[in-house]
Amino acid sequence: MNTKKLIPVFFLLFSFAIPQTLLAQGEFPKPGTMKPDMSEFWLPQPPVVTPGAVPCEEPIPAPSDADVLFDGKDLSQWRGVKTEEARWHVSNGVLTVNKGTGSIETKKHYRDFQLHLEWKVPETITGSSQARGNSGVILQGKYEVQVLDNYLNKTYANGQAGSVYKQTAPRINAMRRPGEWNVYDIIYTAPTFREDGTYRTYPYVTVIHNGLVVQYHTRINGTTVYTGFPNVEPHGDGPIRLQDHGDPSEAISFRNIWVREL
Ligand code: MG
């Protein structure tokens, strides 16, 4: 028998006997360690657009078919993420982060929704970049729309107010100055999943900040992570969460929070 003819046959059998992952490990380098700044981009900075003046200082009442999540009175619709009870401060119709007590989230879970909320940082706010009135609206407890004072405060573009945090920068910077109320209207479509746990359809979000579209049917690529890439985690309906970020600046406040299921 011609042994030369057998060489390819032996090679073929040999290659099947070795798990492909072992071959792959030897062939390719291991990925390097991710650092937080590897997922932060600063340019282009979203252009500043001055929103129209507020018609009145009072919040506009919720529509008749909305779940009123906070009407200025109490936190009965909320629970703590770290503790069963939501421990943020309610005073003069306003909800203020009680730093260190943890994020709070709605007791009720939602799928697709239209969410309205108003937020402001104190006029006396200090700090810079991410350490200046940092909070967040975390959709289904997974995907953060950033809340931050970006009035004359630069930070990485995909970490600004109205960003899908660490993913998509807002189209513009629509901030009102510290001490004035900012308004978010968020329209969110939940993802669906294949049996293997990957997205069949991605989550999508539209964010209107002070009447200006800053995210327009933006695809969310996965859960919000500080270091590394977004993860895909199968989930069902989820809460609307407000973030206790813990940055050293003064605490951020919220009012007039309501949601309509879609
Ligand atoms: Mg945040």
Side-chain angles (χ1 to χ4, degrees):
M1 183 179 275
N2 185 346
T3 51
K4 274 189 178 173
K5 280 188 179 172
L6 284 175
I7 288 172
V9 177
F10 278 128
F11 181 77
L12 199 65
L13 287 172
F14 181 69
S15 66
F16 272 112
I18 298 175
Q20 293 300 303
T21 47
L22 283 180
L23 284 174
Q25 271 176 15
E27 191 180 348
F28 300 110
K30 283 185 180 172
T33 307
M34 286 291 290
K35 294 180 184 151
D37 62 2
M38 289 176 173
S39 55
E40 298 164 6
F41 64 84
W42 289 73
L43 292 172
Q45 284 279 309
V48 173
V49 176
T50 306
V54 205
C56 63
E57 251 308 285
E58 293 303 308
I60 296 164
S64 61
D65 65 349
D67 285 352
V68 176
L69 299 176
F70 178 70
D71 64 359
K73 294 192 185 82
D74 60 51
L75 285 173
S76 58
Q77 304 302 312
W78 301 80
R79 59 180 291 277
V81 173
K82 286 204 294 197
T83 54
E84 188 49 37
E85 190 192 352
R87 293 185 181 163
W88 289 14
H89 302 298
V90 176
S91 171
N92 297 324
V94 171
L95 169 63
T96 302
V97 181
N98 183 5
K99 290 197 175 200
T101 61
S103 302
I104 64 169
E105 64 185 25
T106 54
K107 291 176 182 172
K108 186 172 168 181
H109 286 198
Y110 294 92
R111 186 167 299 171
D112 305 337
F113 56 79
Q114 171 188 354
L115 172 69
H116 175 98
L117 60 89
E118 301 174 23
W119 56 273
K120 77 170 176 182
V121 299
E123 218 174 330
T124 51
I125 189 88
T126 55
S128 62
S129 191
Q130 293 287 305
R132 189 178 169 94
N134 196 330
S135 182
V137 184
I138 303 169
L139 313 169
Q140 293 196 303
K142 303 280 185 193
Y143 313 108
E144 181 179 355
V145 172
Q146 177 68 301
V147 168
L148 185 73
D149 177 29
N150 283 117
Y151 186 83
L152 303 178
N153 172 40
K154 285 199 175 8
T155 190
Y156 42 94
N158 61 343
Q160 293 202 1
S163 65
V164 176
Y165 184 68
K166 290 270 183 142
Q167 293 185 32
T168 308
R171 295 157 80 100
I172 54 164
N173 177 340
M175 284 296 303
R176 290 208 166 99
R177 63 178 66 237
E180 294 181 1
W181 286 100
N182 284 274
V183 180
Y184 272 0
D185 289 287
I186 297 175
I187 298 119
Y188 172 75
T189 312
T192 58
F193 294 90
R194 296 193 186 94
E195 277 191 10
D196 67 0
T198 58
Y199 288 130
R200 181 181 298 282
T201 55
Y202 282 79
Y204 284 87
V205 70
T206 293
V207 180
I208 301 168
H209 183 186
N210 295 329
L212 296 156
V213 174
V214 295
Q215 300 287 346
Y216 178 53
H217 195 57
T218 300
R219 192 178 92 173
I220 300 173
N221 294 319
T223 58
T224 301
V225 293
Y226 180 56
T227 306
F229 299 110
N231 294 317
V232 179
E233 295 170 5
H235 61 86
D237 295 358
I240 294 161
R241 185 176 295 168
L242 299 177
Q243 185 186 42
D244 172 14
H245 181 273
D247 81 63
S249 66
E250 286 181 80
I252 202 155
S253 295
F254 296 87
R255 74 174 183 185
N256 195 22
I257 310 174
W258 52 259
V259 65
R260 294 178 65 245
E261 292 180 86
L262 300 175

